[in-house]
Amino acid sequence: SEGYDLRKGWLPPFTETTGYIVPTFLDYYHFTGDSMYKNRAVEMLEWLLSVQRDNGAISGIIEGAKSPLVFDTGQVLLGFVRGYKETNEERYLAAAEKAGDWLVSIQNPDGKWDRNVYQNIVHSYNVRVAWALLELNEILPKKKYFNAANRNVVWTLTQQQDNGWFNYNKFEKNTPVYTHALGYVTRGILEAGILLNNPNFISAAQKTADILLSLQRENGALPGSFDSKWNPTTRSVCLTGSAQVGIVWLRFYQITSASKYFNAAKLGNSFLIKTQERIPFPSLRGAVKGSHPIYGNYLTFVYPNWAAKFFVDALLLEIAVTKQNSIGKI
């Protein structure tokens, strides 16, 4: 399910986030040793296979828009790639290849995606799709995947301003730029930079990560949305975005060993832990809100599945980094 809405109950299935929840379940399987999480990841992969189009594309929310979308396909590609790595199941590799081929086939020559995009507008955060193509290239090396991903990162960086801000990074024309989207674009560039061993890409992501670090509140939270001058446009917190940015900071700690990144991420995770639902209501216990407070400007009154996903990812990475640090590996 896309998540739980206090006004509507459970929401329809969501291909995009199901795709990138697969790696989270597999990570948690390795963390706990509980095979239930691996089995559930496989169940998600099998469902994704059943809804993939013959041309490799993935549509959005199954009970909503039917047109295939670049971003959704890229996020499901991340799931197929990880599923193949874990299981050696050739069907997942074949599905990943079909998805990658479709993404390459509809890319604009300048590197952006401007067809089959959400709300029919260009998005800088589609650079997460470039990251997915590079993950595919790791298991199925093809020059077209490498080149398409590299072109998209290069295009995305033409949208980065001197102050670290990215143009074309809204979900919809009349909405603010949420911290969620900033987490998407920064992580996509960073992971692409790591896979391409490109210090310029990593440095560009670091510029934005450092600006966000300077904007972290004393309680560990980040404002939920900003304008292009980095002025907060809401007092509420986009919990998803705070978790995503924390992951970026932890990744930079792994790269640089700079304690400022670890400390910021740990403080941010501590804040997120306090906001997690603990009420004994099965549909909500353990969930993470879209906004804090829940009536904030991002997904008002909704508990999206991806908020919990990035929360888990942030906690698992903090635990892993802490353990590595304690034995002198970083």
Side-chain angles (χ1 to χ4, degrees):
S1 169
E2 181 185 8
Y4 192 86
D5 188 322
L6 291 180
R7 301 155 296 187
K8 301 176 183 178
W10 288 110
L11 297 170
F14 197 7
T15 48
E16 172 203 316
T17 57
T18 300
Y20 65 39
I21 288 171
V22 167
T24 300
F25 271 41
L26 291 171
D27 286 343
Y28 197 67
Y29 156 67
H30 288 292
F31 179 69
T32 64
D34 188 339
S35 61
M36 178 187 77
Y37 294 97
K38 182 176 183 179
N39 294 339
R40 285 179 176 265
V42 169
E43 289 175 4
M44 288 188 280
L45 288 165
E46 292 299 312
W47 178 72
L48 291 166
L49 286 177
S50 76
V51 299
Q52 186 180 32
R53 296 186 175 213
D54 290 340
N55 64 0
I58 296 287
S59 298
I61 299 173
I62 293 302
E63 295 179 16
K66 299 296 184 181
S67 61
L69 293 172
V70 164
F71 192 75
D72 298 59
T73 303
Q75 306 322 292
V76 172
L77 175 56
L78 287 170
F80 284 148
V81 169
R82 181 64 186 275
Y84 174 71
K85 287 180 177 178
E86 292 280 340
T87 68
N88 290 316
E89 174 56 64
E90 290 292 331
R91 292 182 305 130
Y92 301 151
L93 179 61
E97 183 177 14
K98 284 168 54 178
D101 288 349
W102 181 76
L103 290 167
V104 171
S105 73
I106 64 164
Q107 186 182 34
N108 190 290
D110 71 358
K112 68 175 179 286
W113 279 282
D114 53 9
R115 290 185 289 158
N116 296 98
V117 289
Y118 182 62
Q119 295 292 312
N120 294 312
I121 58 177
V122 174
H123 306 286
S124 292
Y125 64 76
N126 276 343
V127 73
R128 272 184 64 100
V129 178
W131 170 22
L133 285 171
L134 290 170
E135 292 285 357
L136 174 59
N137 189 65
E138 291 286 294
I139 61 170
L140 189 66
K142 290 188 178 182
K143 199 167 185 178
K144 62 181 177 180
Y145 301 147
F146 180 95
N147 290 341
N150 189 72
R151 281 196 305 269
N152 180 252
V153 181
V154 170
W155 177 85
T156 304
L157 293 187
T158 67
Q159 304 309 313
Q160 188 180 35
Q161 303 302 298
D162 290 342
N163 67 350
W165 185 259
F166 287 90
N167 299 327
Y168 297 109
N169 206 35
K170 291 185 176 183
F171 292 120
E172 301 176 14
K173 289 181 180 178
N174 297 319
T175 59
V177 174
Y178 297 110
T179 313
H180 178 32
L182 293 165
Y184 269 159
V185 69
T186 310
R187 179 86 185 278
I189 293 168
L190 172 60
E191 298 297 346
I194 292 170
L195 288 168
L196 291 169
N197 193 27
N198 188 317
N200 291 331
F201 293 173
I202 295 171
S203 178
Q206 190 170 16
K207 177 188 289 187
T208 303
D210 285 351
I211 290 290
L212 288 164
L213 192 148
S214 74
L215 295 168
Q216 188 179 35
R217 296 169 178 167
E218 289 186 3
N219 66 354
L222 283 166
S225 58
F226 298 90
D227 65 21
S228 61
K229 304 289 187 184
W230 291 106
N231 297 308
T233 58
T234 181
R235 297 183 66 181
S236 63
V237 180
C238 172
L239 297 177
T240 306
S242 286
Q244 290 172 270
V245 174
I247 293 167
V248 169
W249 288 334
L250 287 169
R251 294 290 279 142
F252 272 113
Y253 177 67
Q254 290 178 309
I255 294 168
T256 68
S257 298
S259 60
K260 65 179 182 179
Y261 295 120
F262 179 80
N263 294 338
K266 185 174 182 179
L267 182 63
N269 281 348
S270 295
F271 171 80
L272 291 170
I273 289 168
K274 294 173 185 175
T275 68
Q276 186 184 27
E277 290 294 351
R278 291 174 173 79
I279 61 174
F281 182 47
S283 298
L284 294 181
R285 184 171 177 82
V288 178
K289 303 184 288 286
S291 287
H292 180 76
I294 200 167
Y295 51 80
N297 68 345
Y298 178 71
L299 290 180
T300 309
F301 301 125
V302 175
Y303 295 81
N305 67 31
W306 54 96
K309 174 263 189 320
F310 286 114
F311 175 63
V312 172
D313 290 347
L315 294 178
L316 287 178
L317 187 53
E318 182 189 334
I319 291 168
V321 166
T322 301
K323 183 177 180 181
Q324 289 170 345
N325 195 47
S326 69
I327 58 177
K329 287 189 176 180
I330 291 181

